């Protein structure tokens, strides 16, 4: 926003009869960092309640007279401990909202303006508490049930919005025909099943919940739009990027209609066969690296649950041994762990109209079984389970493995497949990935003899090593992929903030191959650390007594 436009906005806000819940003027500069965060939460919630797209916090205006006085407040120079105030505040806001900081030169006076998006669908919390302004007081929103209800009912479904100038001619005819076929498969047994083929396109698209009364929705453009029709949803983006990140490098962007494009993305994946050699069988077991249905499920989930307000692409990265799916926005309801067993059904969706259309086209289901099916498929194919551990407040990240992490874990699933249920498999998968498990889960696995050790350093039990007919300790397997070893180091740093060489040796020495001597294992660790120095970690200690941290965390240690 240009300075002249910002001045115009400020003058409009100053002309309001009085300060209200969604506009706060501050004449002084004595505001604690915590109170600043509370203001962001309160103004965001108030803007939603009062049907305003944004609220405003402005330093440098008298809150009683609305006279411009200027301010000495300097947001970008403030810190909380060693952390920049902006990063600290954004980290503690939930869900993540992208408030804007807008410095303004108002004549010879300096102002600081914060443009704060209204809460959408759920209250904006700061430090896990939602705030609201009642008069001039900041207070806990949870005391006001009517206000909370208003916010939860405020969700605008962007995917259902009508595009006034768009017509059915902006949709891809081939995509419509394919959609009709899939719709017919989904509606088998319905009274109108035999009529579907003769429906006019307009009627079919309404029945499939893609259009509304013949009018084109954002959903229609995303799923069935011609590539040249993407301008109708701009600056929103409906695009999938496939990126090959191995010894070879490549990428390709796939545009609308995404109903068709997902299958083109699937063709890009290098899906070869993988062999397992269980100890109790003479014949190897062959499976594809990736289940095509899992890939499509993951891609369709990205499309359905993407937060399109971020104006960003869906990205599928193909690495040597895994696929990484990422889409903007956090989990809209619950977390991935809530859906692994298939017992949780989502009550609300970020993009309800889009999700309902994808259900009618058989792209996703409406009962929350998608994640459960992916977990079940990976278990049945003896691979590590889907991993959402890198998900953040602003991005859902899913990793699907196409190789083993711990070969004996996979052999265990093969040889004891009738004894290990999905819950046990999920917990054992966390142990092999060094992801912490809670006390109840640990007690469950210890009782069944699956793990040993003490919190938090659990490991797969020697008893299981005997079950799989292995003489060496279970964690001394044939060797792990270097990317997995690197991830163990990074996970240690995430948990503890840093890693010494002694700690790294303790972490990796016992899981490197048995045929290597201790000297060779330490040399291998040297090589791994050297690789990681190029892109992800650095030594803030000395050469003799190293202390490794993530590059982005250097300033925090």
């Amino acid at each position: 926003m240009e300075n002249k436009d910002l001045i115009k906005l400020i003058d409009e806000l100053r002309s309001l009869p009085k300060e209200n819940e969604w506009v706060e003027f501050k004449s002084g500069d004595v505001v604690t960092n915590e109170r600043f965060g509370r203001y962001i939460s309160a103004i965001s919630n108030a803007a939603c309640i009062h049907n305003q797209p944004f609220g405003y916090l402005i330093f440098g205006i008298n809150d009683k007279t609305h006279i411009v006085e200027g301010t000495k407040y300097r947001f970008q120079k403030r810190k909380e401990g060693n952390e920049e105030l902006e990063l600290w505040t954004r980290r503690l806001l939930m869900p993540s909202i992208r408030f804007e900081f807008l410095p303004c030169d108002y004549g010879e006076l300096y102002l600081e303006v914060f443009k704060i998006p209204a809460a959408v669908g759920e209250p904006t919390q700061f430090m896990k508490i939602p705030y609201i302004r009642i008069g001039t007081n900041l207070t806990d929103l949870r005391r006001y049930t009517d206000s909370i209800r208003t916010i939860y009912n405020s969700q605008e479904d962007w995917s259902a919005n009508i595009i006034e100038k768009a017509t059915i001619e902006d949709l891809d005819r081939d995509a419509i025909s394919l959609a009709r076929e899939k719709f017919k498969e989904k509606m088998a047994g319905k009274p109108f099943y035999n009529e579907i083929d003769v429906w006019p396109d307009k009627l079919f698209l309404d029945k499939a919940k893609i259009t509304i009364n013949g009018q084109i929705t954002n959903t229609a453009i995303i799923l069935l739009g011609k590539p040249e029709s993407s301008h109708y949803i701009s600056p929103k983006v409906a695009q999938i990027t496939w990126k090959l990140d191995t010894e070879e490098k490549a990428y390709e962007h796939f545009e609308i209609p995404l109903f068709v494009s997902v299958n083109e993305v699937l063709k890009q994946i290098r899906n070869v066969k993988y062999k397992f050699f269980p100890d109790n069988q003479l014949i190897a077991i062959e499976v594809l690296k990736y289940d095509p249905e899992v890939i499509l499920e993951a891609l369709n989930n990205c499309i359905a649950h993407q937060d399109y307000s971020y104006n960003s692409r869906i990205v599928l990265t193909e690495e040597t041994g895994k696929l990484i799916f990422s889409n903007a926005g956090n989990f809209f309801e619950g977390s991935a762990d809530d859906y692994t067993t298939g017992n949780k059904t989502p009550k609300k969706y970020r993009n309800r109209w889009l999700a309902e259309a994808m259900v009618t086209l058989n792209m996703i289901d409406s009962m929350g079984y998608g994640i459960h099916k992916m977990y079940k498929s990976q278990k049945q194919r003896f691979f590590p389970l889907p991993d959402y551990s890198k998900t953040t407040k602003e991005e859902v990240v899913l990793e699907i493995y196409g190789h083993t992490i711990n070969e004996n874990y996979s052999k265990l699933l093969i040889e004891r497949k009738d004894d290990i249920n999905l819950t046990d498999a999920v917990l054992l998968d966390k142990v092999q990935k060094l992801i912490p498990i809670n006390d109840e889960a640990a007690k469950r696995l210890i009782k069944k003899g699956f793990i040993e050790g003490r919190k938090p350093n659990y490991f797969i039990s020697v008893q299981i090593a005997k079950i799989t007919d292995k003489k060496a300790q279970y964690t001394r397997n044939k060797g792990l992929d270097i990317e997995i070893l690197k991830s163990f180091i990074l996970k240690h740093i995430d948990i503890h903030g840093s890693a010494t060489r002694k700690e790294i040796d303790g972490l990796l020495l016992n899981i490197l191959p048995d045929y290597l001597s201790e000297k060779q294992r330490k040399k291998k660790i040297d090589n791994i650390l050297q690789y990681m120095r190029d892109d992800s970690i650095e030594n803030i200690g000395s050469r003799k007594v190293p202390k490794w941290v993530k590059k982005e965390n250097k300033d925090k240690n």
Side-chain angles (χ1 to χ4, degrees):
M1 183 180 290
E2 294 185 2
N3 197 70
K4 63 179 182 180
D5 296 325
L6 192 52
I7 290 174
K8 182 179 179 181
L9 170 65
I10 290 169
D11 287 340
E12 289 175 356
L13 297 175
R14 289 174 58 220
S15 68
L16 293 172
K18 63 177 182 177
E19 194 181 35
N20 56 50
E21 285 81 4
W22 54 277
V23 178
E24 170 76 11
F25 297 131
K26 304 298 295 182
S27 55
D29 56 356
V30 184
V31 175
T32 65
N33 292 342
E34 185 170 331
R35 191 164 182 83
F36 174 84
R38 292 180 180 181
Y39 271 124
I40 299 294
S41 166
I43 293 171
S44 174
N45 292 327
C48 174
I49 292 168
H50 293 277
N51 296 313
Q52 299 294 325
F54 299 96
Y56 298 89
L57 171 61
I58 304 177
F59 287 85
I61 296 179
N62 187 289
D63 59 345
K64 293 183 172 59
T65 65
H66 293 191
I67 294 174
V68 177
E69 298 177 345
T71 184
K72 294 181 180 179
Y73 189 83
R74 295 295 185 271
F75 175 65
Q76 292 187 322
K77 292 184 179 181
R78 295 178 72 101
K79 290 190 174 184
E80 179 66 24
N82 292 326
E83 192 173 5
E84 301 293 336
L85 175 58
E86 180 171 2
L87 294 175
W88 180 78
T89 304
R90 293 187 189 278
R91 181 167 58 81
L92 294 175
L93 288 168
M94 180 66 74
S96 176
I97 61 170
R98 293 191 278 179
F99 65 86
E100 294 181 65
F101 166 59
L102 303 169
C104 176
D105 292 314
Y106 194 102
E108 296 181 359
L109 298 173
Y110 175 75
L111 306 180
E112 293 203 332
V113 181
F114 297 87
K115 184 179 180 182
I116 304 163
V120 178
E122 61 179 307
T124 299
Q125 301 179 52
F126 178 72
M127 298 178 75
K128 299 183 179 180
I129 298 175
Y131 289 92
I132 191 65
R133 292 179 65 227
I134 303 297
T136 59
N137 298 318
L138 285 172
T139 188
D140 191 331
L141 174 63
R142 292 172 295 188
R143 300 173 184 171
Y144 303 90
T145 55
D146 288 342
S147 295
I148 287 182
R149 188 178 300 112
T150 298
I151 293 174
Y152 276 115
N153 292 336
S154 70
Q155 174 70 27
E156 177 195 21
D157 185 1
W158 172 83
S159 69
N161 287 353
I162 302 297
I163 303 172
E164 299 294 344
K165 295 183 180 181
T167 71
I168 198 169
E169 297 304 316
D170 293 300
L171 305 184
D172 185 286
R173 290 291 175 184
D174 292 337
I176 292 174
S177 296
L178 180 60
R180 190 189 292 263
E181 292 177 17
K182 293 299 181 181
F183 177 80
K184 190 174 181 181
E185 289 176 11
K186 180 74 174 180
M187 298 300 157
K190 297 290 184 181
F192 53 79
Y193 175 79
N194 293 326
E195 303 171 15
I196 295 174
D197 287 334
V198 297
W199 282 347
D201 285 343
K202 181 179 177 180
L203 177 59
F204 157 64
L205 293 171
D206 275 358
K207 291 285 190 181
K209 298 185 178 180
I210 296 170
T211 57
I212 299 175
N213 296 326
Q215 295 179 292
I216 304 301
T217 62
N218 289 323
T219 288
I221 295 296
I222 290 171
L223 296 180
L224 304 179
K226 295 176 180 177
E228 59 268 28
S229 300
S230 61
H231 67 89
Y232 283 116
I233 63 170
S234 181
K236 307 296 188 292
V237 179
Q239 193 176 80
I240 301 171
T241 294
W242 165 80
K243 182 172 70 171
L244 181 65
D245 189 11
T246 62
E247 66 281 357
E248 300 175 282
K249 307 291 182 183
Y251 72 91
E252 187 170 346
H253 301 305
F254 294 85
E255 299 185 298
I256 57 175
L258 294 189
F259 177 65
V260 176
S261 294
V262 288
N263 292 295
E264 297 303 314
V265 177
L266 178 62
K267 293 176 184 177
Q268 294 291 112
I269 307 300
R270 300 180 299 178
N271 201 4
V272 298
K273 287 188 176 180
Y274 192 98
K275 288 186 178 182
F276 291 101
F277 297 90
D279 294 324
N280 62 351
Q281 294 180 213
L282 296 177
I283 301 174
I285 294 176
E286 286 190 345
V287 295
L288 286 172
K289 282 182 68 176
Y290 306 110
D291 181 348
E293 290 190 10
V294 167
I295 296 173
L296 289 176
E297 183 72 41
L299 281 173
N300 288 333
N301 279 346
C302 288
I303 295 169
H305 305 302
Q306 167 94 336
D307 187 339
Y308 289 92
S309 71
Y310 279 70
N311 305 337
S312 63
R313 301 184 184 103
I314 294 164
V315 179
L316 168 54
T317 303
E318 180 179 357
E319 295 185 355
T320 301
K322 63 183 173 182
L323 302 176
I324 305 172
F325 302 79
S326 61
N327 67 272
N330 56 3
F331 269 93
F332 194 66
E333 184 181 325
S335 66
D337 288 345
D338 297 329
Y339 295 92
T340 57
T341 61
N343 293 324
K344 180 177 175 64
T345 300
K347 297 178 181 177
K348 56 185 179 178
Y349 293 92
R350 176 179 284 114
N351 308 301
R352 175 166 289 280
W353 192 254
L354 174 60
E356 289 183 357
M358 294 178 72
V359 169
T360 66
L361 299 184
N362 222 10
M363 297 175 75
I364 61 173
D365 72 77
S366 61
M367 298 301 291
Y369 292 144
I371 291 176
H372 171 68
K373 288 191 293 185
M374 291 192 289
Y375 272 72
K376 192 173 179 181
S377 172
Q378 288 292 99
K379 175 180 180 288
Q380 290 172 341
R381 296 166 57 255
F382 320 119
F383 280 124
L385 302 184
D387 191 341
Y388 284 92
S389 64
K390 294 181 180 176
T391 293
T392 68
K393 290 197 302 180
E394 297 191 348
E395 183 180 47
V396 174
V397 178
L398 165 63
E399 295 180 323
I400 299 292
Y401 288 84
H403 70 119
T404 59
I405 294 177
N406 186 321
E407 187 175 284
N408 288 326
Y409 166 84
S410 297
K411 288 184 177 181
L412 176 63
L413 293 184
I414 295 172
E415 297 166 12
R416 302 262 327 256
K417 59 185 177 182
D418 295 331
D419 301 328
I420 299 176
N421 60 29
L422 185 57
T423 299
D424 292 334
V426 169
L427 296 175
L428 284 168
D429 184 68
K430 288 178 182 282
V431 172
Q432 73 163 342
K433 293 174 182 171
L434 300 186
I435 297 173
I437 58 175
N438 62 37
D439 293 344
E440 183 179 349
K443 185 177 180 180
R444 174 191 178 101
L445 295 182
I446 290 171
K447 184 176 181 180
K448 294 188 175 186
F450 289 164
I451 65 170
E452 296 178 7
R454 293 185 178 182
K455 181 181 179 179
N457 300 312
Y458 298 115
F459 56 92
I460 304 298
S461 173
V462 174
Q463 175 184 338
I464 289 181
K466 293 177 181 177
I467 290 171
T468 56
D469 197 26
K470 304 301 284 186
K471 295 180 180 178
Q473 191 177 12
Y474 187 77
T475 52
R476 294 190 170 190
N477 51 46
K478 292 183 179 179
L480 302 180
D481 183 278
I482 191 169
E483 292 299 320
I484 301 301
L485 297 173
K486 287 163 65 175
S487 74
F488 286 177
I489 296 173
L490 293 175
K491 177 68 72 174
H492 180 93
I493 294 174
D494 283 340
I495 294 171
H496 302 288
S498 63
T500 65
R501 178 55 193 261
K502 182 178 179 181
E503 290 168 343
I504 293 172
D505 284 349
L507 189 66
L508 300 185
L509 280 177
N510 284 340
I511 58 175
L512 289 173
D514 279 341
Y515 60 78
L516 295 178
S517 67
E518 183 173 350
K519 183 177 179 180
Q520 289 172 320
R521 292 178 196 172
K522 288 187 175 182
K523 181 62 178 176
K524 188 173 181 68
I525 294 174
D526 287 339
N527 293 336
I528 292 170
L529 291 173
Q530 185 59 47
Y531 296 148
M532 296 180 73
R533 286 179 64 179
D534 294 337
D535 58 6
S536 56
I537 65 172
E538 59 186 317
N539 179 14
I540 62 171
S542 65
R543 186 171 184 178
K544 187 175 181 180
V545 185
K547 182 180 180 182
W548 300 97
V549 299
K550 282 187 175 181
K551 285 190 174 179
E552 68 267 27
N553 290 341
K554 181 181 177 184
D555 294 336
K556 299 178 187 178
N557 286 272

